Amino acid sequence: MIKGAIAIFKRDFKKFLGNPFVIIFTLLMPIMYLVIFGNAMGGTISHVSIAIVQEEPYDDSALPFTAFIDNLKHQAAVDYPPTFDIAIYTDELKAKRALQNGVVSGVLVLPSPNFRDRAMRLYVDSSDSVTPSIIISGVNTALVQSGTHTRVEINKIYGDIKYIQFFGVGVIVMAIFMTTMMGGGIALIKDREMGIIEGYFVTPVKRSSIIMGTIASGTVRAFLSGFVIFVVDLLITGILIQSTQDFFMVLLVLFITSIGITSFMVSMASRFSNQQEYASMSAFFNLILFMTSGAFYPVIGMPDWLRWITIINPEYYAVHALRSIILRGQGIEVIGMDLIALCIFSFAAIMLGIATYRRTLE
Amino acid sequence: MSDAQEKILHSYIPHTLSITRSHVFFNTPMSFSDPRPEEETEALRHPDSSRYFSSDQSVIRIEHLTKTFRDKQRTVKAVDDITFEVKRGEIFGLLGPNGAGKSTLIRILTTLLSPSSGTAFVGEYEITRDPEKIRGIIGVCPQNSTLDNELTAYDNLEFYGKLEDVDDRILPDRIWELLAMVGLTDRAHMMVQTFSGGMKRKLEIVRAFIHRPLILFLDEPTIGLDPESRREVWQQIETLNAENTTIILTTHYMDEAEKLCGRIAFVDRGRLISLDTMDNLRLLLPAGDLIEIGFDHMDERVLPAIREQHLVISAEVKDQKLLITAKNRNTILPAIFAVFERYSVTMNAISIRSPSLEDVFIYLTGKNLSDSGGSEGTQGGRGRS
């Protein structure tokens, strides 16, 4: 019995050592967890932008509450840059539009000097799970420390949004990624591993046809699973989709996201001939892309170097677009940029896949 | 030689009347006296291009093709400066032991691998310049199964038919025609993974000509098949050839090559050893039948007495065996028996055969065709790196 067990052990261990790629990626995984998860989730948030605007009727004289604003400007955690970036707006409507478009995270409307007894109005983006509480506590601290006595009215512009609702949107994107991991490129690798590929390499089928066909089938599967999770997410988190237009918009985003992520995985798969290597590589990308997508935690909390990743991360655009539609009820004017980014990404991934696919056995 | 291989050899080598069968005999290089002058056989051993480039009817032309595989430890020349032509409409046999480079050569011709040097034309197209055009005119049945086990027989053929760009209007009829050809009509919608080895093989072969290719490459088409299936596959190949399809067939079964092939190329260690028709190859060997008699104790008077017989071409003793080549075995046998009896020598084994391709191969390479490695053990290049 021992002899057999040792033989099995030796065989498995030889195979393990014979595959350095898998070893590296298995070790890289927890390290990336540490770095990305640790940074993305626990990062000290700074540079939260707040628009400050004075209520109408507008008074040309300098803004009141100077001490208060100064205090707000200089709040910071130890060794960190200022927590808030203050932008002075002169038009309340413009400031609110900036909040809706995500340019600023909060709008603070100061009462007009003529009506000193009015309350200060604070508008926060409640579709963001983190910044509202930071802004609220920052404003309160500033009031106390500057000795300003005034009431503050807090308005959550998208109503109360629970974390599960915030996170649920990210899970839809995760569903798409998971499906592409299991399906998507693995068909290509399986064919290569089993030698089936030799059977159709001798036919006139073009390299681009092979890649496009694989992407198409992967996209449909990813889209279906994304759709299922979208419905499940609505049921579990109790979000209501406002209109049929929003519903179809969600489907559009899901579809383009599916194309983008599937093409990316397929183009990665086009270079692999081993399922294990592919699996560890795709798990690695899954982690990076999902962590930096802002699904768990707003991107604003990430260190700068991680934020750079979000710029080329299709999941970031997908999460942003879905959140805009599902949580904020926003339309094409907000998610247009996301869709364009996703399309550019998909196109690049497809081209990469076609260019790198080996149409010979070597 | 594995049990399975041995079984196959036992059952398929024709022209063999084997009373006992000895491995020693098969593995011993033959030492018959060669009736032909040395220069002539030398020419056959080292063929040059002019010898084979004769007709303009060639459908495949291979010129100084070389393929080298490299990895960290060593470099293997899987195909080493091979030059020959295949004529339109023939069944061309590519013979050689395992690892001789047959599959690599086929993979180069079917555009799966690119050559290290040299060139080849398939149809009118050059393999590295117009691989796509070549893929359109060839049909390939690779050595390892490339059927999709998770699809049905029908789906497999349909998938392939679409990749081969068969007209959608005729594709269904063509698929049923092919399924009927291999007797799989009633299993059309069953998963291929439930099929026996023979059924899979036959399905794969018909799949290769779903688009009626100009040239059909069959890499070891009957490997691992039972005798009945082998005969069916052979019949199919002949039927196809009758429809004017050129067929290139690799095999390491002698009987298969003898039965099907018009011309045969012997390949060993990546080199072309000989190329000719079966009949001409047989001429390489000493004429007549081979008679092999085993004995325990030999009387020295036996050998001269046998050499005296006028039908005997040569006779010699080797490893407790008397090896005789003779012109007419039916009349010579009683005479040989009489000699043995006269000197009271007991025979313990006897076998009589016509020279087969295997003998030609042993003669040319000095080793058995079923030997996979060769003494240096550097045969490699089963093509995928």
Side-chain angles (χ1 to χ4, degrees), chain A residues 227-280:
Chain A
F227 179 71
V228 169
I229 298 301
F230 166 59
V231 173
V232 170
D233 178 54
L234 294 187
L235 294 177
I236 290 181
T237 62
I239 299 172
L240 283 175
I241 292 294
Q242 309 296 331
S243 64
T244 34
Q245 198 198 339
D246 282 1
F247 180 78
F248 284 112
M249 200 95 86
V250 168
L251 296 193
L252 178 70
V253 173
L254 286 183
F255 189 69
I256 297 181
T257 308
S258 299
I259 297 177
I261 301 179
T262 308
S263 334
F264 176 64
M265 292 317 289
V266 169
S267 69
M268 288 287 129
S270 74
R271 293 302 296 177
F272 284 88
S273 49
N274 177 313
Q275 286 193 48
Q276 228 187 344
E277 287 177 5
Y278 171 75
S280 48

Side-chain angles (χ1 to χ4, degrees), chain B residues 14 43 45 47 63 68 70 74 112 151 159 201 221 275 289 308 321 330 333 338-339 342:
Chain B
R45 276 170 200 257
E63 291 168 10
T68 316
R70 283 191 185 83
R74 60 201 183 131
L112 287 173
L151 292 182
F159 173 63
R201 203 68 200 150
L275 190 160
D289 299 319
E308 271 170 23
K321 276 195 201 84
N330 296 335
L333 266 183
V339 172
R342 197 185 317 148

Side-chain angles (χ1 to χ4, degrees), chain A residues 22 35 41 66 111 122 142 156 172 187 196 216 225 240 254 307 312:
Chain A
V22 175
V35 173
M41 294 288 287
T66 334
L122 177 62
K156 296 182 173 174
I172 300 173
I196 292 177
S225 77
L240 283 175
L254 286 183
R307 257 193 264 185
I312 50 165

Side-chain angles (χ1 to χ4, degrees), chain A residues 187-203:
Chain A
L188 282 182
I189 296 170
K190 224 170 138 186
D191 282 0
R192 211 180 267 281
E193 241 180 15
M194 311 251 298
I196 292 177
I197 219 154
E198 199 178 331
Y200 59 77
F201 272 1
V202 294
T203 69

Side-chain angles (χ1 to χ4, degrees), chain B residues 11 25 52 107 125 141 153 186 228-229 265 295 343 365 370 382:
Chain B
S11 24
F25 178 81
Y52 299 117
R107 283 183 174 147
Y125 309 112
C141 176
D186 52 335
E228 172 118 9
S229 304
F295 53 83
Y343 299 105
T365 64
S370 305
R382 190 139 288 283

